[in-house]
Amino acid sequence: MAVLGVDFGTSNSAVGICVDGAARLIPIESGATTLPTAVFLDFEARRAIYGSPANAALIAGDEGRYMRALKSLLGTSLMRERRTFLNESVDFITIVGRFLTELKSRAERATGLEFDTALSGRPVLFHSADPKRNAQALVDLTDCYHAAGFKDVTFMPEPEAAALANRSVLHPGDLGLVVDIGGGTSDFTLFRQGPDSGIDILASHGVRLGGTDFDRALNLAFVMPELGMGSAIRHAFGEQTHVAPNAIFHELATWQKIPFLYTHETRRAARELAQYAVDPAPLNRLVQVLEQEVGHDIAFAVETAKIAANMQTSALPDIDLGMIEKGLCAPLYPVAMTATLAQMAERVGEAASDTMTQAGVDPDAVDRLIFVGGSSLMQVIEAALTRRFARAQVHRGAALTAIVEGLALATGQSDR
Ligand SMILES: Nc1ncnc2c1ncn2[C@@H]1O[C@H](COP(=O)(O)OP(=O)(O)OP(=O)(O)O)[C@@H](O)[C@H]1O
Ligand SMILES: [Mg+2]
């Protein structure tokens, strides 16, 4: 039985195997080797759709329930809560399990092999601020693999897989620091290149911060005020006012929480806020967003503008809020984005420094910083890291496939 290397990412997933000592990534979606970690439960066709077609169904406004960033739910109580979709009561262990089943069966179809064992990546820390949740997340993910039909699953820290995939960029004896900034977490591995092709791992560390958190911060700063965040709400009696409670806006700006907002209670709460608002217009937009279920469309608009502002591909990347109101948009100036994300970038930088402290190695001893993960393309992140490792040269690994490449290689190593 062959072993399948699986990178189950917050934003993107990929699978691979080892053939004659080399990593082979498996085409998983119309020839591509990665697919978005997204599920769309299509209410009309009464079936689940995965990956890019799930994103397309959401954008097309098809009737159904969309989910993304499911990995961020691991270790939280939401994983075991049951919901009814398509007349079936399921928990999120089952939903993630079915996503993994899809990866497994697509890999089996593409290779003609059968996989009953997985070597899965894992963040160094799923929950960096809560050891109990962190341990629970691994239990949850293990249960998801079993639900998917894998008899056996072992785990490898994602940045250690990336170190393996990028070992040839170092000379023997050199020190490399993998910096893997993904959708949900930032992960680091400090390693020394051995005399042959082996690597010596000195420390791995991580923090629960990634691209989806950047999206949330930008959404809260630039979009949610348009929906009434911070608005004055009149008391039912008297002249006094209070500020609209923040919780609903926070959840609406958080990828993995959005599906949980589409309930009668939340819609009623929003209508009540609009009714007592000093200026009801922004809160009426909130009501409309919840009724039309366009929270994910907003999150996508924020993510698109984030990438455009970061790449500086257009003079003024706007967050296009046309799904709320024709012509509505929020400008996202690159300087404003950098300022909004500065604190988070610092926390990512601190986690990299903590990795060095754990290993007892001076940052100036690092020869190479190896950047992988989609969010390593963020300039504000690169700046926060290169500043701390003045002597290191930057190497850019494959942003979206370095982890799965390393996992695929590791499935071929007998001493795993
Ligand atoms: N060009 C870009 N500039 C900035 N950010 C980008 C770019 N391309 C992708 N991203 C961001 O990268 C993130 C996805 O990266 P990646 O696929 O490495 O994450 P992941 O592996 O799914 O997540 P994790 O490893 O944390 O579970 C998203 O938040 C996305 O917005
Ligand atoms: Mg990743």
Side-chain angles (χ1 to χ4, degrees):
M1 283 281 182
V3 182
L4 186 65
V6 183
D7 177 13
F8 171 59
T10 309
S11 306
N12 297 290
S13 293
V15 287
I17 52 174
C18 187
V19 180
D20 298 331
R24 182 179 294 173
L25 307 195
I26 300 173
I28 196 91
E29 183 181 86
S30 5
T33 51
T34 62
L35 93 165
T37 309
V39 181
F40 185 78
L41 302 175
D42 188 322
F43 290 168
E44 203 169 312
R46 308 197 60 73
R47 65 186 182 99
I49 304 172
Y50 301 95
S52 299
N55 288 352
L58 172 84
I59 300 301
D62 291 358
E63 177 94 12
R65 177 68 75 241
Y66 177 82
M67 299 169 208
R68 197 184 182 213
L70 290 166
K71 186 180 180 182
S72 301
L73 295 177
L74 295 169
T76 73
S77 58
L78 292 171
M79 270 319 275
R80 310 265 167 181
E81 275 180 23
R82 302 189 80 79
R83 318 252 142 185
T84 301
F85 298 116
L86 301 172
N87 288 343
E88 185 193 18
S89 164
V90 285
D91 60 10
F92 280 83
I93 300 282
T94 309
I95 291 174
V96 173
R98 286 180 186 167
F99 182 84
L100 296 173
T101 306
E102 189 68 19
L103 296 185
K104 179 175 184 286
S105 52
R106 288 187 191 192
E108 287 175 345
R109 272 202 302 277
T111 59
L113 298 168
E114 223 177 284
F115 300 105
D116 68 354
T117 305
L119 173 63
S120 172
R122 56 157 293 177
V124 178
L125 297 171
F126 292 86
H127 293 271
S128 40
D130 187 337
K132 251 175 96 180
R133 277 197 172 184
N134 185 49
Q136 185 60 42
L138 195 60
V139 172
D140 288 349
L141 188 54
T142 305
D143 286 354
C144 293
Y145 274 97
H146 289 150
F150 288 99
K151 289 200 180 70
D152 209 5
V153 55
T154 48
F155 293 95
M156 182 180 216
E158 289 155 7
E160 295 182 15
L164 206 54
N166 282 282
R167 63 194 193 275
S168 62
V169 305
L170 296 188
H171 299 299
D174 277 1
L175 272 184
L177 179 70
V178 168
V179 174
D180 171 16
I181 320 291
T185 57
S186 295
D187 292 89
F188 308 91
T189 286
L190 179 70
F191 69 106
R192 190 180 296 283
Q193 177 67 34
D196 44 35
S197 64
I199 59 170
D200 188 11
I201 289 170
L202 306 183
S204 291
H205 186 52
V207 61
R208 187 180 170 89
L209 257 184
T212 55
D213 299 293
F214 306 154
D215 296 346
R216 182 181 56 232
L218 297 171
N219 203 329
L220 285 170
F222 301 106
V223 180
M224 290 302 142
E226 305 284 343
L227 270 55
M229 191 172 106
S231 290
I233 310 294
R234 278 181 277 116
H235 288 187
F237 303 100
E239 290 300 306
Q240 281 182 322
T241 62
H242 63 277
V243 175
N246 269 339
I248 205 166
F249 300 102
H250 270 265
E251 295 197 0
L252 190 54
T254 304
W255 279 103
Q256 71 271 22
K257 298 272 179 70
I258 298 168
F260 299 96
L261 276 178
Y262 299 149
T263 62
H264 294 303
E265 296 75 45
T266 318
R267 290 184 182 114
R268 196 175 46 231
R271 276 198 299 272
E272 232 162 73
L273 285 175
Q275 187 187 345
Y276 289 104
V278 173
D279 173 9
L283 281 151
N284 280 332
R285 288 182 183 147
L286 174 69
V287 172
Q288 182 198 328
V289 163
L290 294 175
E291 272 166 10
Q292 295 177 354
E293 302 191 357
V294 290
H296 284 114
D297 302 68
I298 297 173
F300 267 115
V302 171
E303 183 182 17
T304 304
K306 169 189 78 176
I307 293 175
N310 183 55
M311 306 303 226
Q312 310 215 344
T313 45
S314 63
L316 177 55
D318 280 336
I319 304 172
D320 179 355
L321 301 174
M323 73 296 284
I324 304 174
E325 234 168 72
K326 201 163 178 277
L328 185 68
C329 63
L332 184 63
Y333 296 97
V335 280
M337 175 163 92
T338 302
T340 306
L341 301 182
Q343 263 192 352
M344 284 183 170
E346 266 317 287
R347 283 177 59 205
V348 170
E350 274 161 24
S353 298
D354 291 346
T355 315
M356 303 307 298
T357 310
Q358 267 185 28
V361 175
D362 191 280
D364 278 347
V366 174
D367 299 290
R368 290 263 181 162
L369 287 179
I370 298 166
F371 280 102
V372 297
S375 300
S376 71
L377 297 167
M378 294 292 291
Q379 289 174 24
V380 60
I381 292 290
E382 177 170 350
L385 285 155
T386 48
R387 195 164 50 70
R388 291 165 187 262
F389 298 89
R391 213 184 56 76
Q393 285 184 358
V394 169
H395 172 80
R396 290 209 164 270
L400 300 191
T401 51
I403 315 292
V404 71
E405 204 183 302
L407 291 167
L409 281 171
T411 64
Q413 294 179 340
S414 51
D415 59 350
R416 258 196 317 114

